[in-house]
């Protein structure tokens, strides 16, 4: 699988800092939500917490090694203004305060400052998203940070305090093409199980330069630098019917998703008749001067999937075998009875 890329550009006034590393906390959710008929909705959520230098960032760009369309991208920041949903997402108590002078922003303050620093929650709109095709293949999605909270509010007055410069945005990418970050195949080594189960392999790679086409690398790094990460959180949210979850590393924890609580966040993908389980992987930088340069997660899952073609084929084989058995049995039965009479 080809690698995704996450890059940044600085504002013109901050160009002297271009050679310094900008660090962010990255959140990625891969959802595989069951829907009626036995198939699945698959989509990716990305959350980025820009650390300390958010006021100097012009844009964050995401390179996808596949075709992404504008209608497949939606903002999630607006939903997170609901404090109960935000608390559920971050798994801690938080207070959300609107900023009247900057309606695209909200101030998020943890009730316990030891849990996390305060940050700006930035709601994205269509004007923040810029899509362009990469000539060498794939799509580049650039997210413009078009404004900062204006002066006169408590956040801007505290701008000398670096903890208030963190900025968080979150968005969703739907309709992920097959063979982009995931692929499916039949179970080949089990004659019976292959009719009732399938294997999915999900290979998410981020900023792995050696997995990029050299011309893609050249195109996307023109005027941009790769983002590094202080933390990487990955969640796989799958059906409770998944029979086996294997990966390149073991997950840290898992929990059952409360569909009612997450319904507003999941939108049309919520399915109250099906249970989902969230599996969590986490990675933290070794030290502030040694951030995470690249991330990767590989998952192999076996899940229920009824293959009617194979089921009918197996039933046909059983019927044919039954007919053959009857055809053989009747003559043998006649011969056996004949032998008894002769005796």
């Amino acid at each position: 699988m080809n690698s995704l890329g996450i890059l940044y550009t600085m504002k013109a006034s901050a160009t002297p800092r271009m050679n310094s590393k900008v660090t962010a906390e990255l959140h990625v959710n891969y959802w595989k939500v069951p829907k009626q008929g036995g198939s699945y909705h698959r989509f990716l959520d990305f959350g980025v917490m820009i650390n300390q230098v958010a006021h100097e960032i012009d844009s964050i760009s995401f390179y996808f090694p596949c075709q992404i369309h504008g209608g497949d991208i939606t903002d999630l920041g607006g939903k997170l203004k609901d404090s109960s949903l935000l608390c559920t997402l971050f798994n801690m108590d938080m207070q959300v305060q609107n900023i009247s002078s900057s309606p695209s922003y909200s101030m998020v303050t943890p009730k316990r400052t030891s849990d996390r620093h305060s940050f700006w929650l930035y709601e994205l709109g269509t004007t923040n998203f810029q899509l362009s095709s990469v000539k060498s293949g794939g799509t580049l999605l650039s997210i413009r940070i078009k404004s900062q909270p204006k002066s006169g509010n408590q956040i801007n007055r505290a701008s000398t305090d670096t903890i208030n410069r963190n900025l968080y945005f979150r968005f969703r990418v739907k309709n992920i093409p097959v063979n982009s970050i995931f692929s499916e195949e039949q179970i080949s080594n089990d004659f019976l199980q292959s009719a009732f189960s399938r294997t999915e392999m999900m290979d998410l790679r981020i900023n792995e330069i050696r997995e990029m086409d050299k011309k893609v690398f050249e195109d996307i790094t023109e005027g941009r630098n790769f983002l590094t990460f202080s933390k990487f959180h990955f969640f796989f949210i799958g059906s409770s019917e998944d029979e086996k979850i294997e990966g390149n590393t073991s997950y840290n924890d898992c929990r059952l998703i409360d569909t009612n609580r997450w319904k507003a966040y999941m939108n049309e993908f919520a399915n109250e008749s099906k249970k989902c389980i969230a599996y969590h992987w986490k990675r933290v930088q070794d030290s502030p001067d040694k951030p995470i340069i690249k991330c990767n997660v590989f998952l192999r899952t076996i899940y229920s999937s009824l293959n009617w073609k194979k089921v009918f084929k197996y039933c046909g084989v059983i019927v044919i075998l039954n007919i053959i058995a009857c055809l053989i049995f009747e003559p043998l039965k006649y011969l056996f009875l004949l032998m008894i009479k002769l005796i």
Side-chain angles (χ1 to χ4, degrees), residues 193-208:
Q193 189 182 9
S194 62
F196 303 97
S197 301
R198 287 177 66 87
T199 297
E200 177 183 313
M201 291 172 288
M202 193 286 305
D203 191 8
L204 179 69
R205 306 183 187 197
I206 298 172
N207 290 356
E208 289 202 358

PDB file of all heavy atoms in Angstrom, residues 193-208:
ATOM      1  N   GLN A 193     -15.593 -22.399   5.735  1.00  0.00           N
ATOM      2  CA  GLN A 193     -15.661 -21.056   6.314  1.00  0.00           C
ATOM      3  C   GLN A 193     -15.659 -19.964   5.248  1.00  0.00           C
ATOM      4  O   GLN A 193     -16.209 -18.881   5.449  1.00  0.00           O
ATOM      5  CB  GLN A 193     -14.498 -20.825   7.277  1.00  0.00           C
ATOM      6  CG  GLN A 193     -14.622 -19.532   8.079  1.00  0.00           C
ATOM      7  CD  GLN A 193     -13.439 -19.296   8.988  1.00  0.00           C
ATOM      8  OE1 GLN A 193     -12.434 -20.002   8.926  1.00  0.00           O
ATOM      9  NE2 GLN A 193     -13.534 -18.289   9.851  1.00  0.00           N
ATOM     10  N   SER A 194     -15.044 -20.225   4.102  1.00  0.00           N
ATOM     11  CA  SER A 194     -14.951 -19.210   3.058  1.00  0.00           C
ATOM     12  C   SER A 194     -16.315 -18.791   2.523  1.00  0.00           C
ATOM     13  O   SER A 194     -16.446 -17.737   1.906  1.00  0.00           O
ATOM     14  CB  SER A 194     -14.080 -19.714   1.904  1.00  0.00           C
ATOM     15  OG  SER A 194     -14.660 -20.860   1.304  1.00  0.00           O
ATOM     16  N   ALA A 195     -17.341 -19.614   2.754  1.00  0.00           N
ATOM     17  CA  ALA A 195     -18.687 -19.250   2.314  1.00  0.00           C
ATOM     18  C   ALA A 195     -19.373 -18.317   3.302  1.00  0.00           C
ATOM     19  O   ALA A 195     -20.375 -17.687   2.962  1.00  0.00           O
ATOM     20  CB  ALA A 195     -19.536 -20.512   2.137  1.00  0.00           C
ATOM     21  N   PHE A 196     -18.843 -18.210   4.517  1.00  0.00           N
ATOM     22  CA  PHE A 196     -19.502 -17.423   5.550  1.00  0.00           C
ATOM     23  C   PHE A 196     -18.623 -16.314   6.136  1.00  0.00           C
ATOM     24  O   PHE A 196     -19.088 -15.540   6.958  1.00  0.00           O
ATOM     25  CB  PHE A 196     -19.951 -18.360   6.689  1.00  0.00           C
ATOM     26  CG  PHE A 196     -20.858 -19.461   6.233  1.00  0.00           C
ATOM     27  CD1 PHE A 196     -20.356 -20.725   5.950  1.00  0.00           C
ATOM     28  CD2 PHE A 196     -22.212 -19.241   6.052  1.00  0.00           C
ATOM     29  CE1 PHE A 196     -21.190 -21.752   5.511  1.00  0.00           C
ATOM     30  CE2 PHE A 196     -23.050 -20.251   5.615  1.00  0.00           C
ATOM     31  CZ  PHE A 196     -22.538 -21.511   5.343  1.00  0.00           C
ATOM     32  N   SER A 197     -17.377 -16.218   5.707  1.00  0.00           N
ATOM     33  CA  SER A 197     -16.465 -15.211   6.249  1.00  0.00           C
ATOM     34  C   SER A 197     -15.549 -14.672   5.153  1.00  0.00           C
ATOM     35  O   SER A 197     -15.325 -15.335   4.133  1.00  0.00           O
ATOM     36  CB  SER A 197     -15.601 -15.803   7.379  1.00  0.00           C
ATOM     37  OG  SER A 197     -16.395 -16.298   8.425  1.00  0.00           O
ATOM     38  N   ARG A 198     -15.049 -13.457   5.393  1.00  0.00           N
ATOM     39  CA  ARG A 198     -14.071 -12.836   4.516  1.00  0.00           C
ATOM     40  C   ARG A 198     -12.929 -12.260   5.352  1.00  0.00           C
ATOM     41  O   ARG A 198     -13.088 -12.037   6.559  1.00  0.00           O
ATOM     42  CB  ARG A 198     -14.696 -11.715   3.673  1.00  0.00           C
ATOM     43  CG  ARG A 198     -15.591 -12.211   2.556  1.00  0.00           C
ATOM     44  CD  ARG A 198     -16.232 -11.050   1.815  1.00  0.00           C
ATOM     45  NE  ARG A 198     -15.260 -10.236   1.095  1.00  0.00           N
ATOM     46  CZ  ARG A 198     -14.843 -10.490  -0.133  1.00  0.00           C
ATOM     47  NH1 ARG A 198     -15.301 -11.547  -0.799  1.00  0.00           N
ATOM     48  NH2 ARG A 198     -13.975  -9.702  -0.737  1.00  0.00           N
ATOM     49  N   THR A 199     -11.816 -12.000   4.691  1.00  0.00           N
ATOM     50  CA  THR A 199     -10.668 -11.390   5.346  1.00  0.00           C
ATOM     51  C   THR A 199     -10.494  -9.971   4.827  1.00  0.00           C
ATOM     52  O   THR A 199     -10.574  -9.739   3.618  1.00  0.00           O
ATOM     53  CB  THR A 199      -9.383 -12.195   5.066  1.00  0.00           C
ATOM     54  OG1 THR A 199      -9.517 -13.508   5.614  1.00  0.00           O
ATOM     55  CG2 THR A 199      -8.181 -11.523   5.714  1.00  0.00           C
ATOM     56  N   GLU A 200     -10.299  -9.034   5.740  1.00  0.00           N
ATOM     57  CA  GLU A 200      -9.970  -7.661   5.354  1.00  0.00           C
ATOM     58  C   GLU A 200      -8.596  -7.309   5.898  1.00  0.00           C
ATOM     59  O   GLU A 200      -8.274  -7.626   7.048  1.00  0.00           O
ATOM     60  CB  GLU A 200     -10.988  -6.653   5.886  1.00  0.00           C
ATOM     61  CG  GLU A 200     -10.618  -5.215   5.552  1.00  0.00           C
ATOM     62  CD  GLU A 200     -11.571  -4.185   6.129  1.00  0.00           C
ATOM     63  OE1 GLU A 200     -12.794  -4.385   5.991  1.00  0.00           O
ATOM     64  OE2 GLU A 200     -11.108  -3.204   6.713  1.00  0.00           O
ATOM     65  N   MET A 201      -7.792  -6.653   5.078  1.00  0.00           N
ATOM     66  CA  MET A 201      -6.484  -6.164   5.506  1.00  0.00           C
ATOM     67  C   MET A 201      -6.459  -4.660   5.357  1.00  0.00           C
ATOM     68  O   MET A 201      -6.759  -4.127   4.283  1.00  0.00           O
ATOM     69  CB  MET A 201      -5.371  -6.817   4.681  1.00  0.00           C
ATOM     70  CG  MET A 201      -5.211  -8.297   4.969  1.00  0.00           C
ATOM     71  SD  MET A 201      -4.059  -9.109   3.855  1.00  0.00           S
ATOM     72  CE  MET A 201      -5.031  -9.129   2.348  1.00  0.00           C
ATOM     73  N   MET A 202      -6.142  -3.955   6.451  1.00  0.00           N
ATOM     74  CA  MET A 202      -6.067  -2.505   6.466  1.00  0.00           C
ATOM     75  C   MET A 202      -4.623  -2.120   6.762  1.00  0.00           C
ATOM     76  O   MET A 202      -4.057  -2.521   7.780  1.00  0.00           O
ATOM     77  CB  MET A 202      -7.016  -1.946   7.531  1.00  0.00           C
ATOM     78  CG  MET A 202      -7.287  -0.442   7.453  1.00  0.00           C
ATOM     79  SD  MET A 202      -5.944   0.645   7.991  1.00  0.00           S
ATOM     80  CE  MET A 202      -5.631   0.030   9.634  1.00  0.00           C
ATOM     81  N   ASP A 203      -4.030  -1.376   5.851  1.00  0.00           N
ATOM     82  CA  ASP A 203      -2.626  -0.997   5.986  1.00  0.00           C
ATOM     83  C   ASP A 203      -2.534   0.525   5.896  1.00  0.00           C
ATOM     84  O   ASP A 203      -2.531   1.092   4.800  1.00  0.00           O
ATOM     85  CB  ASP A 203      -1.790  -1.661   4.887  1.00  0.00           C
ATOM     86  CG  ASP A 203      -0.293  -1.523   5.130  1.00  0.00           C
ATOM     87  OD1 ASP A 203       0.094  -1.044   6.210  1.00  0.00           O
ATOM     88  OD2 ASP A 203       0.491  -1.895   4.242  1.00  0.00           O
ATOM     89  N   LEU A 204      -2.490   1.179   7.059  1.00  0.00           N
ATOM     90  CA  LEU A 204      -2.430   2.643   7.104  1.00  0.00           C
ATOM     91  C   LEU A 204      -0.988   3.073   7.349  1.00  0.00           C
ATOM     92  O   LEU A 204      -0.398   2.758   8.386  1.00  0.00           O
ATOM     93  CB  LEU A 204      -3.334   3.179   8.216  1.00  0.00           C
ATOM     94  CG  LEU A 204      -3.340   4.703   8.389  1.00  0.00           C
ATOM     95  CD1 LEU A 204      -4.018   5.374   7.199  1.00  0.00           C
ATOM     96  CD2 LEU A 204      -4.034   5.099   9.682  1.00  0.00           C
ATOM     97  N   ARG A 205      -0.434   3.805   6.388  1.00  0.00           N
ATOM     98  CA  ARG A 205       0.935   4.317   6.517  1.00  0.00           C
ATOM     99  C   ARG A 205       0.899   5.823   6.329  1.00  0.00           C
ATOM    100  O   ARG A 205       0.271   6.323   5.400  1.00  0.00           O
ATOM    101  CB  ARG A 205       1.853   3.672   5.472  1.00  0.00           C
ATOM    102  CG  ARG A 205       1.828   2.163   5.511  1.00  0.00           C
ATOM    103  CD  ARG A 205       2.792   1.556   4.519  1.00  0.00           C
ATOM    104  NE  ARG A 205       2.629   0.099   4.443  1.00  0.00           N
ATOM    105  CZ  ARG A 205       3.525  -0.727   3.929  1.00  0.00           C
ATOM    106  NH1 ARG A 205       4.663  -0.243   3.440  1.00  0.00           N
ATOM    107  NH2 ARG A 205       3.308  -2.024   3.891  1.00  0.00           N
ATOM    108  N   ILE A 206       1.588   6.507   7.200  1.00  0.00           N
ATOM    109  CA  ILE A 206       1.588   7.970   7.168  1.00  0.00           C
ATOM    110  C   ILE A 206       3.033   8.464   7.182  1.00  0.00           C
ATOM    111  O   ILE A 206       3.822   8.095   8.065  1.00  0.00           O
ATOM    112  CB  ILE A 206       0.811   8.559   8.371  1.00  0.00           C
ATOM    113  CG1 ILE A 206      -0.658   8.111   8.319  1.00  0.00           C
ATOM    114  CG2 ILE A 206       0.898  10.085   8.385  1.00  0.00           C
ATOM    115  CD1 ILE A 206      -1.460   8.482   9.540  1.00  0.00           C
ATOM    116  N   ASN A 207       3.369   9.282   6.208  1.00  0.00           N
ATOM    117  CA  ASN A 207       4.695   9.904   6.082  1.00  0.00           C
ATOM    118  C   ASN A 207       5.821   8.883   5.936  1.00  0.00           C
ATOM    119  O   ASN A 207       6.947   9.134   6.380  1.00  0.00           O
ATOM    120  CB  ASN A 207       4.982  10.840   7.261  1.00  0.00           C
ATOM    121  CG  ASN A 207       4.120  12.095   7.221  1.00  0.00           C
ATOM    122  OD1 ASN A 207       3.360  12.302   6.276  1.00  0.00           O
ATOM    123  ND2 ASN A 207       4.232  12.932   8.237  1.00  0.00           N
ATOM    124  N   GLU A 208       5.522   7.742   5.329  1.00  0.00           N
ATOM    125  CA  GLU A 208       6.574   6.774   5.009  1.00  0.00           C
ATOM    126  C   GLU A 208       7.082   7.086   3.599  1.00  0.00           C
ATOM    127  O   GLU A 208       6.512   6.639   2.604  1.00  0.00           O
ATOM    128  CB  GLU A 208       6.048   5.341   5.110  1.00  0.00           C
ATOM    129  CG  GLU A 208       5.774   4.897   6.539  1.00  0.00           C
ATOM    130  CD  GLU A 208       5.773   3.379   6.688  1.00  0.00           C
ATOM    131  OE1 GLU A 208       5.945   2.672   5.672  1.00  0.00           O
ATOM    132  OE2 GLU A 208       5.596   2.910   7.825  1.00  0.00           O
TER     133      GLU A 208
END
